[in-house]
Amino acid sequence: MKRILKYVVVYLPRMLGGLAIKVLGTLTDLGLPWVLAFMIDDVIPKKSLSLVALWGVVMLILAVVTRALNVQANRMASSVARDVTRSVRHDLYEKIMSLSGRQVDQFTIPSLVSRMTSDTYNIHHAVGMIQRIGVRAPMILLGGIAITFTLDVVLTLVLIATLPFIAVLVWFISSKGIPMYTKVQQAVDQMVQVVRENVTGVRVIKALSKGEGEKRRFDKINEETSAREVKASSTMSAINPIMNLILNIGLTLVIIVGAYRVHAGQMDVGKIVAFLSYFTMILNAMMSINRIFVMLSKATASANRISEVLEAPSELMPVEMESVANGCHIEFDHVKFSYYGANGAEGNSALAKEKESGRGGTLSAGEIRRNIDDISFRLKQGESLGIIGSTGSGKTTLINLLMRFYDVEEGAVRIHGRDVRSMSLKELREQFGVVFQNDILFADTIRENINFWRDIPEEQLCRAAEDAQAAEFLREIGAAALEGAGAAELTQGLSHLAASKGANLSGGQKQRVLIARALAGKPEILILDDSSSALDYKTDANLRVALREHLSGTTAIMVAQRISSVRSLDHILVMEDGQCVGYGSHEELMAGCSTYQEIYRSQMGGGDYGRS
Amino acid sequence: MAGANGAGGGRPGGIGSPGAGGRMMKAKEKPKDTGYVLKRLGAYLFHYKWLLLLALALTIAGNSLALVGPMLSGYAVDLIELGAGRVDLEGVWHYVWLMLIFYAVSSLLSYALAILMLRISQKVVKKMRQDVFYKLQSLPVGYFDVHQTGDILSRISYDIDTVSTSLANDLIQICASAITVTGSFVMMLMISPPLLIVMLFTIPLSIFYTKYMSGRIRPLSRRRSANLGRLNGFVEEMVSGQKTLKAYAREDVNIAHFDETNEEAVDAFYQAEFVSSMVGPTVNFINNLSLALITAFGAVLYLFNTLTLGSISSFVLYSRKFSGPINELANLASELQSAMAAAERVLKVLDEEAEPEDARDAVDLPSHIRGEVVMKHVNFGYNPDRTILHDLNLRAEPGKLVAIVGPTGAGKTTIINLLMRFYDINSGRITIDGLDISKIKRKSLRKAYAMVLQDTWVFEGTIFDNIAYGKEDATREEVEAAAKAARIHSYISRLPQGYDTVLSEDGTNLSKGQKQLLTIARAMLLDARMLILDEATSNVDTRTEVHIREAMRELMKNKTCFVIAHRLSTIVDADTILVVRDGDVIEQGSHKELMEQGGFYHQLYMSQFE
């Protein structure tokens, strides 16, 4: 919460300005009835038309001024809300983009998305509303109390004596309510998660006719969300009636105390009457203030969820480290790592709390088997490495360490002799062109998907599309759009809009666009993580030829399952259960690595050895 | 549905069109007319008409009790008025006790009302969310191919919330206001009809202004909802893709793009909020204007001795009472506008054309089918003007293995989409055991297939639940047997929580290959006559593949199988190999025949050994 208040503080001058204007507007607004009473009591009885006209004009001016002031104050309030939200969202987004892989795993992506969206809406709403309705009520409350003091001090003290009770009440109930709203938000997260799963898994669900089951699953979480909302709001809505009751008890006390005082001749009865009318004003003001409290409770829950992310410690900061002159481009030096290892177990208490709420038990540190165990290799500039091994053997983890999505536990990963931990992430990662497993296309043109906001000249984009074997299908799309062949086919094809997640492209087309993205930046290091699995052999072969011809200076690492994709590479690393079981060229491995031979046999079909 | 429209129907801007994705949504979403939206929303409320009536009764009771309090305090004051030394203290105590009881009752009533309204509004939200979710279940696959996930999610969360908050709070307030307004109007009429005429000048002013502002606010609210939807879409997409963004160190540029979207969203919010917040002060101004007019005119009437001072003062009091709710109503009007705009977006989903109903004469597939699948002269395109499959003919004998190979983008996956009726064909016929599949209930058709796709899908649930997904009554033994056959059992049992390990949707705790093994295990539990393997082992390394080959054979036994694979080694023993290129079957035959032909297949096959 404090964290979010800081954002508000930045706009304090404008906010105070707005509030000051609002105070003026409220004063003129409250002044109107006073003028009215004055006219009825004093002006009209004088039976002078010109005086009536004069005071009428005064009222008119007051009305105009009131409107102008309030509109202006509201405008400023809205603009502060807008600016606060804008910067909260900006910082939150920036922070999310800087989280380490481990932190993203802990928060989970859906939860990050909902913090970015629904929680920031709550903040936007609250900041605006509180400024707009938060002035009048306190003014009336304070003004009302001040006036009652002038009427009778003893009675006012009786009334004020009830205020601590109200304060305790509001504090007590909202301290119960805020955690409840946090729970509501968690349930909403989970509900949204179910919907998200249904959107992404629509084919499987339909194929298995699981619609009914999914409906039941949704109904359950929908029920739960509503129940939590009812619980939280029921708690909060107890404040108003109880507060009312306390104040009204205060009022009856005033009457009874007043009665004794009048009886004793210490005050006139007229003051009690006046007291009662101001009391109504105070009561209404308290109710409005309470509305603000409810809103604040909700906003606090959201603010806390946002702060959790904002306050997550920055991992992966550059660390001073000695360089090693080893003359090679990429070096893995006795690298050890595990996802659920020392780093993962320590965690962050806030995150742990979040986890315990919806997601049963995720993997906890228990029996720890390293995901990467003592891997070493060296690559010279321009060399290529193939990584092959069974599912789950740690191939992708090596990439994650090389690009520093995670930090190694032991050992070091070096590029040009410099430890990756000693470079800024930007400096480190700008050297790469990469295609991940499950990589993503965005809802934008193919061109922008390849360019990826890097200002790469069109010519180079086309070159990349050609090399990635994407040009052919892009030309087809282009030709269809142009209704005829022409030189501009490719350009036109690049302008084709990819749907979100590339849903309007086939798996192979997606991969080729992704490879084009990796090639377009002429990277120093090219990483293709299983990126040719959706390509047929011929396309795959053409791609390899293109890479050899056009990117000879680039050091390439290819994670693959097919021997044919890696056999022509300079080195091949064979992984098994996080360990290296073979390293060398195709021929060397064929001679000395039984795992590699086994893989080879599995692909070339038993006795078909001689075919190559 | 007309036959010609069968395939593309209900999907404006089909999958292949450049209009796909979020950015076209703005243009597509046409405003609906207010009456329609109100009618649909009314239907939700009507469902709870008795509860609403109860709420109304509570409101009236609460308001009346609130009047009793001041009355009692008035009596008490009368007793005090007797003056020093003569105050009837006993009487005062009597009224004070009565007051306490009344206040307690009235507090209870207002709490009850608050809870009641809360429950009604939650019921409405729950129902609406359920309706939207059920609707999503009935929508054709194509809908999800063209809509951004984030935008769909924004509708089911943000938009529905906006509607419900407004409905619940505003409705009761409108009722309460109506009562006050009517009462005050009657009182004013009784005091002075001429003054009321003055009032009547300003009331239309309020009404016109409110109406005019509503007209202005509506499009702004609409823009706000749409922009929030777009922001959601952007965030969803980018946060999911953050690894890629980081890999290219594109965070800065991406943040700049985010800022643009964010700016649009906050600005739309600002515009809508600011313009709505103008309504209050302005209507208040009109009221003050009318107050000034009443006073001035009242003064004139007083000068002509047709009105007493007391009457002017009580008229003014009532006119305040009268205009208070009107003021509120104006504020409500702008809140209602955002609710309407949000409701439009919700209704847009609810009114989306569902997957066409099964034909009226559609039948269930008999429980024992042979599994003969025939495609005859099938034409299909995701977009009516771009045909992807041209006159496709295919015959899969019962229990035989049909492999579909061809270059990427040749239309292999499209064939699967048609077999499962995720999309309907434009022309031609697909039959199972001679039965046209358009005459078969979709559920029963899809049940006849087991399917393993390239895009693996796991949901947030235990590994056990994920494997048993297609067979609810699966026992632990069955699941473990399937997992063993799919060669994933040993990995699972090494996990601290074994089969009870909770997977997350983005599956950070499983690699893509492991997920694929999991979905293979899932398919093994199904009892289907036909099997579709669309790159089912593309992410599984070949050694594991050899290990699971036995299990795959078992899985494929006695089933009509459709296999799409790049790894030609997996399909050499297929009974029929279909070579597809640009939507046409260019070669068809067994591996041996095709190799002898020396055509495209031969070329493809040899290229893996170059």
Side-chain angles (χ1 to χ4, degrees):
Chain A
M1 186 65 193
K2 266 189 207 145
R3 175 105 204 175
I4 302 299
L5 279 181
K6 278 189 198 149
Y7 288 92
V8 180
V9 169
V10 177
Y11 301 101
L12 206 58
R14 192 174 350 144
M15 198 165 136
L16 289 179
L19 292 183
I21 294 175
K22 191 94 196 175
V23 170
L24 281 180
T26 310
L27 281 178
T28 51
D29 200 18
L30 295 175
L32 266 164
W34 182 83
V35 173
L36 187 70
F38 175 72
M39 276 180 81
I40 293 175
D41 293 345
D42 298 338
V43 180
I44 297 177
K46 287 190 183 136
K47 299 204 170 191
S48 152
L49 252 185
S50 60
L51 262 181
V52 168
L54 178 72
W55 281 100
V57 169
V58 169
M59 274 184 83
L60 207 63
I61 291 173
L62 271 179
V64 171
V65 169
T66 303
R67 178 187 179 272
L69 288 173
N70 282 329
V71 167
Q72 178 58 26
N74 286 350
R75 180 200 285 271
M76 288 170 84
S78 298
S79 81
V80 169
R82 175 192 60 192
D83 294 343
V84 167
T85 312
R86 186 202 288 121
S87 37
V88 169
R89 261 195 212 137
H90 172 92
D91 288 1
L92 183 59
Y93 191 73
E94 204 170 53
K95 182 72 189 190
I96 289 175
M97 285 295 155
S98 79
L99 292 179
S100 72
R102 192 183 66 77
Q103 288 169 317
V104 171
D105 293 348
Q106 275 186 325
F107 280 114
T108 76
I109 285 174
S111 167
L112 287 176
V113 171
S114 90
R115 286 165 211 240
M116 261 312 291
T117 51
S118 58
D119 287 318
T120 56
Y121 305 149
N122 285 347
I123 300 286
H124 198 159
H125 218 75
V127 174
M129 280 296 268
I130 288 168
Q131 288 180 85
R132 276 197 305 276
I133 63 174
V135 168
R136 199 186 166 93
M139 269 177 72
I140 291 177
L141 178 67
L142 293 178
I145 290 178
I147 293 173
T148 50
F149 258 115
T150 64
L151 288 174
D152 187 273
V153 177
V154 177
L155 289 190
T156 309
L157 288 178
V158 169
L159 191 59
I160 286 179
T162 61
L163 292 183
F165 290 100
I166 291 172
V168 168
L169 170 84
V170 169
W171 173 81
F172 178 73
I173 292 184
S174 31
S175 71
K176 284 213 175 300
I178 293 172
M180 284 183 185
Y181 280 121
T182 310
K183 283 209 168 130
V184 170
Q185 201 53 49
Q186 281 167 355
V188 171
D189 274 9
Q190 268 187 294
M191 184 189 66
V192 169
Q193 169 70 2
V194 171
V195 181
R196 178 184 288 112
E197 281 172 6
N198 271 268
V199 171
T200 52
V202 58
R203 278 186 166 75
V204 178
I205 291 165
K206 280 193 191 288
L208 297 176
S209 302
K210 290 287 287 188
E212 291 309 316
E214 289 300 321
K215 284 178 186 175
R216 278 198 302 278
R217 192 154 84 98
F218 178 80
D219 285 347
K220 212 173 123 205
I221 180 66
N222 191 13
E223 186 73 44
E224 176 70 23
T225 311
S226 284
R228 287 190 189 183
E229 173 77 48
V230 167
K231 198 174 158 204
S233 299
S234 304
T235 307
M236 289 309 276
S237 47
I239 292 185
N240 248 342
I242 301 183
M243 188 174 79
N244 240 322
L245 189 60
I246 294 178
L247 275 171
N248 280 318
I249 290 173
L251 180 74
T252 48
L253 279 178
V254 164
I255 290 179
I256 203 75
V257 171
Y260 278 101
R261 280 172 67 78
V262 171
H263 190 63
Q266 286 161 325
M267 65 180 282
D268 335 317
V269 73
K271 288 197 172 155
I272 296 184
V273 178
F275 213 95
L276 291 184
S277 67
Y278 283 109
F279 174 79
T280 320
M281 268 170 69
I282 292 173
L283 183 69
N284 284 334
M286 291 290 284
M287 306 255 275
S288 297
I289 292 174
N290 179 46
R291 255 175 72 200
I292 300 172
F293 263 99
V294 174
M295 194 171 287
L296 265 178
S297 303
K298 272 191 184 182
T300 307
S302 285
N304 288 340
R305 280 163 51 88
I306 292 172
S307 304
E308 246 173 51
V309 180
L310 287 177
E311 280 161 10
S314 288
E315 295 185 354
L316 310 180
M317 295 307 276
V319 204
E320 287 281 326
M321 278 191 160
E322 300 244 333
S323 312
V324 186
N326 56 9
C328 43
H329 191 188
I330 298 173
E331 180 191 20
F332 270 63
D333 185 5
H334 297 286
V335 169
K336 293 179 185 172
F337 172 78
S338 57
Y339 286 103
Y340 308 111
N343 280 330
E346 143 218 341
N348 167 320
S349 66
L351 289 178
K353 222 177 0 180
E354 169 83 1
K355 290 232 152 166
E356 143 218 271
S357 77
R359 329 162 27 90
T362 29
L363 296 181
S364 63
E367 145 211 0
I368 292 167
R369 210 167 42 93
R370 285 218 169 83
N371 297 76
I372 293 294
D373 205 359
D374 202 24
I375 295 287
S376 296
F377 63 83
R378 288 176 172 197
L379 294 178
K380 292 206 173 61
Q381 180 96 39
E383 281 188 328
S384 54
L385 171 75
I387 305 177
I388 200 162
S390 48
T391 314
S393 61
K395 297 174 303 232
T396 300
T397 311
L398 287 179
I399 306 301
N400 282 340
L401 295 174
L402 175 59
M403 298 192 70
R404 208 181 172 211
F405 286 109
Y406 298 83
D407 273 338
V408 297
E409 253 169 64
E410 279 176 49
V413 179
R414 299 195 186 92
I415 294 178
H416 286 307
R418 287 177 65 196
D419 195 299
V420 290
R421 284 168 291 182
S422 67
M423 294 181 230
S424 80
L425 288 178
K426 197 173 164 70
E427 183 193 358
L428 169 69
R429 290 178 183 160
E430 268 175 351
Q431 307 171 22
F432 289 89
V434 58
V435 181
F436 293 113
Q437 288 185 13
N438 292 327
D439 214 331
I440 291 188
L441 290 181
F442 301 107
D444 208 327
T445 59
I446 304 263
R447 174 179 295 105
E448 201 44 65
N449 266 297
I450 297 178
N451 178 30
F452 214 56
W453 305 311
R454 288 175 292 184
D455 301 321
I456 294 169
E458 177 83 7
E459 201 183 315
Q460 208 170 318
L461 293 178
C462 293
R463 180 76 257 155
E466 298 275 4
D467 286 346
Q469 311 300 312
E472 192 185 332
F473 89 86
L474 288 175
R475 283 210 177 86
E476 266 168 45
I477 293 176
L482 291 171
E483 290 171 2
E489 280 169 12
L490 184 54
T491 323
Q492 183 66 33
L494 284 171
S495 304
H496 180 71
L497 277 174
S500 168
K501 289 163 280 179
N504 56 352
L505 297 175
S506 78
Q509 289 171 336
K510 267 189 269 184
Q511 271 194 334
R512 283 181 281 179
V513 173
L514 289 167
I515 293 171
R517 174 192 292 169
L519 299 181
K522 296 193 173 163
E524 288 204 26
I525 305 170
L526 175 70
I527 294 177
L528 301 180
D529 187 356
D530 217 356
S531 315
S532 47
S533 59
L535 300 186
D536 50 83
Y537 280 95
K538 203 165 163 53
T539 315
D540 190 20
N542 290 343
L543 169 68
R544 273 178 282 130
V545 171
L547 291 183
R548 263 200 300 279
E549 283 174 7
H550 296 117
L551 289 150
S552 49
T554 299
T555 307
I557 298 183
M558 297 192 197
V559 176
Q561 288 155 9
R562 292 182 204 152
I563 295 266
S564 64
S565 304
V566 296
R567 63 182 296 170
S568 58
L569 303 181
D570 301 323
H571 307 281
I572 299 166
L573 172 67
V574 187
M575 296 282 293
E576 177 101 334
D577 278 342
Q579 289 168 330
C580 167
V581 293
Y583 186 80
S585 68
H586 174 69
E587 285 69 26
E588 287 162 7
L589 290 170
M590 283 305 287
C593 174
S594 61
T595 312
Y596 191 76
Q597 288 164 3
E598 211 182 307
I599 298 173
Y600 185 83
R601 273 198 300 279
S602 73
Q603 292 182 12
M604 297 305 164
D608 274 344
Y609 244 128
R611 227 189 255 274
S612 61
Chain B
M1 261 192 118
N5 200 18
R11 287 183 296 109
I15 194 172
S17 82
R23 56 184 60 212
M24 290 298 284
M25 225 98 83
K26 186 155 79 172
K28 242 178 358 195
E29 238 149 274
K30 278 206 206 79
K32 298 196 185 265
D33 79 287
T34 317
Y36 175 75
V37 177
L38 282 179
K39 210 176 93 192
R40 293 289 298 271
L41 290 181
Y44 277 100
L45 288 171
F46 190 71
H47 215 78
Y48 305 105
K49 52 183 181 297
W50 298 117
L51 285 180
L52 278 170
L53 275 178
L54 179 61
L56 191 62
L58 279 177
T59 314
I60 294 172
N63 282 358
S64 324
L65 272 184
L67 290 178
V68 175
M71 206 175 74
L72 287 174
S73 66
Y75 290 147
V77 169
D78 285 347
L79 294 180
I80 300 171
E81 216 164 4
L82 300 173
R86 279 173 293 158
V87 175
D88 174 7
L89 287 174
E90 224 166 279
V92 173
W93 272 108
H94 172 71
Y95 285 119
V96 163
W97 283 121
L98 274 182
M99 276 168 79
L100 282 179
I101 292 167
F102 268 104
Y103 284 131
V105 172
S106 127
S107 281
L108 263 177
L109 273 184
S110 71
Y111 185 62
L113 177 67
I115 300 289
L116 184 62
M117 279 323 289
L118 184 69
R119 285 184 186 257
I120 294 175
S121 78
Q122 277 306 314
K123 273 180 205 248
V124 171
V125 186
K126 208 162 70 185
K127 184 81 180 70
M128 256 189 170
R129 276 199 229 131
Q130 194 185 47
D131 285 355
V132 170
F133 187 81
Y134 283 21
K135 184 70 193 193
L136 289 178
Q137 290 293 344
S138 77
L139 289 176
V141 167
Y143 180 85
F144 302 94
D145 287 343
V146 298
H147 286 83
Q148 265 183 327
T149 312
D151 193 68
I152 298 175
L153 298 180
S154 179
R155 285 168 206 247
I156 209 167
S157 52
Y158 172 78
D159 287 324
I160 289 186
D161 273 353
T162 310
V163 174
S164 75
T165 327
S166 155
L167 275 189
N169 299 338
D170 301 351
L171 216 68
I172 214 74
Q173 210 163 351
I174 288 173
C175 291
S177 304
I179 296 168
T180 321
V181 166
T182 320
S184 322
F185 189 83
V186 171
M187 294 309 287
M188 288 191 293
L189 190 68
M190 277 159 58
I191 294 169
S192 168
L195 268 187
L196 195 57
I197 292 170
V198 176
M199 279 275 308
L200 290 182
F201 271 113
T202 54
I203 293 172
L205 210 58
S206 299
I207 293 172
F208 275 126
Y209 178 76
T210 308
K211 221 176 141 83
Y212 160 75
M213 285 307 273
S214 298
R216 262 185 78 185
I217 292 166
R218 183 77 168 276
L220 291 174
S221 302
R222 214 176 266 143
R223 197 161 74 93
R224 167 167 70 181
S225 270
N227 272 321
L228 287 181
R230 216 164 303 136
L231 180 80
N232 263 6
F234 184 93
V235 169
E236 176 90 26
E237 209 173 83
M238 294 305 163
V239 174
S240 312
Q242 41 95 25
K243 193 173 172 190
T244 307
L245 290 165
K246 287 173 185 167
Y248 284 89
R250 289 297 92 194
E251 296 99 320
D252 293 351
V253 198
N254 177 249
I255 289 168
H257 278 261
F258 168 77
D259 285 346
E260 276 171 37
T261 316
N262 185 18
E263 181 64 44
E264 277 170 32
V266 288
D267 191 62
F269 207 109
Y270 166 72
Q271 297 282 346
E273 197 183 54
F274 162 60
V275 173
S276 346
S277 76
M278 259 167 65
V279 175
T282 308
V283 170
N284 192 28
F285 166 72
I286 294 173
N287 289 336
N288 284 333
L289 202 68
S290 100
L291 217 56
L293 279 178
I294 289 169
T295 321
F297 197 67
V300 173
L301 288 180
Y302 174 76
L303 291 180
F304 290 99
N305 290 323
T306 50
L307 207 63
T308 66
L309 264 185
S311 302
I312 296 182
S313 107
S314 46
F315 192 92
V316 165
L317 274 181
Y318 281 114
S319 83
R320 281 245 132 184
K321 259 208 156 78
F322 180 82
S323 59
I326 293 224
N327 204 341
E328 273 300 304
L329 283 182
N331 280 328
L332 287 185
S334 62
E335 244 171 69
L336 283 175
Q337 286 308 319
S338 2
M340 293 288 280
E344 275 173 17
R345 280 167 51 83
V346 177
L347 289 177
K348 181 82 175 57
V349 178
L350 289 179
D351 292 345
E352 199 72 44
E353 204 153 343
E355 214 168 24
E357 290 270 320
D358 288 322
R360 203 160 333 132
D361 50 348
V363 292
D364 279 321
L365 269 178
S367 52
H368 291 290
I369 50 166
R370 290 179 300 126
E372 180 199 40
V373 181
V374 178
M375 297 178 96
K376 264 194 193 140
H377 305 294
V378 167
N379 284 294
F380 173 75
Y382 291 105
N383 212 336
D385 41 85
R386 196 168 150 232
T387 315
I388 293 195
L389 297 178
H390 322 272
D391 195 37
L392 183 83
N393 289 293
L394 175 155
R395 184 184 178 81
E397 301 281 348
K400 294 286 159 89
L401 171 60
V402 177
I404 307 169
V405 301
T408 28
K412 288 169 298 190
T413 300
T414 306
I415 297 179
I416 306 302
N417 275 340
L418 298 182
L419 287 176
M420 303 280 287
R421 274 190 82 191
F422 288 142
Y423 289 88
D424 277 332
I425 53 178
N426 295 14
S427 65
R429 236 162 94 80
I430 303 178
T431 59
I432 292 180
D433 287 5
L435 218 63
D436 193 322
I437 62 165
S438 63
K439 296 274 171 12
I440 300 172
K441 289 188 181 152
R442 274 195 190 75
K443 252 193 186 161
S444 131
L445 170 73
R446 288 171 185 164
K447 264 217 166 95
Y449 286 97
M451 182 175 79
V452 182
L453 296 180
Q454 185 178 7
D455 283 326
T456 52
W457 176 77
V458 298
F459 57 91
E460 188 166 317
T462 63
I463 291 184
F464 180 88
D465 290 344
N466 265 287
I467 295 178
Y469 190 65
K471 189 180 182 190
E472 268 158 56
D473 52 352
T475 63
R476 182 74 178 220
E477 287 71 38
E478 286 174 302
V479 167
E480 278 186 24
K484 271 180 194 148
R487 287 289 183 278
I488 181 115
H489 173 75
S490 70
Y491 174 81
I492 296 172
S493 32
R494 276 207 305 269
L495 294 172
Q497 272 116 339
Y499 281 85
D500 298 323
T501 305
V502 175
L503 298 177
S504 55
E505 186 207 17
D506 41 304
T508 30
N509 28 19
L510 281 189
S511 82
K512 208 171 160 188
Q514 287 166 328
K515 278 203 264 177
Q516 210 157 33
L517 293 177
L518 201 101
T519 52
I520 289 170
R522 187 188 284 163
M524 285 184 174
L525 282 177
L526 297 178
D527 178 33
R529 286 294 294 143
M530 276 106 58
L531 177 68
I532 290 174
L533 301 174
D534 184 356
E535 294 288 357
T537 52
S538 62
N539 298 303
V540 178
D541 64 289
T542 45
R543 234 159 24 112
T544 310
E545 197 183 6
V546 170
H547 290 308
I548 63 171
R549 191 167 287 169
E550 198 49 46
M552 291 298 270
R553 279 220 186 93
E554 189 63 31
L555 175 63
M556 287 154 88
K557 204 165 79 187
N558 296 325
K559 292 193 176 89
T560 311
C561 300
F562 297 87
V563 176
I564 295 178
H566 288 118
R567 242 179 248 153
L568 299 185
S569 58
T570 50
I571 51 130
V572 285
D573 45 357
D575 297 294
T576 314
I577 298 172
L578 233 61
V579 186
V580 190
R581 192 180 189 178
D582 300 329
D584 294 313
V585 175
I586 52 167
E587 288 166 30
Q588 189 163 0
S590 70
H591 173 70
K592 203 159 153 255
E593 289 162 8
L594 292 176
M595 289 303 283
E596 278 163 11
Q597 269 181 32
F600 189 66
Y601 179 80
H602 177 82
Q603 214 182 318
L604 272 181
Y605 191 77
M606 291 320 285
S607 69
Q608 60 181 317
F609 302 111
E610 46 175 52

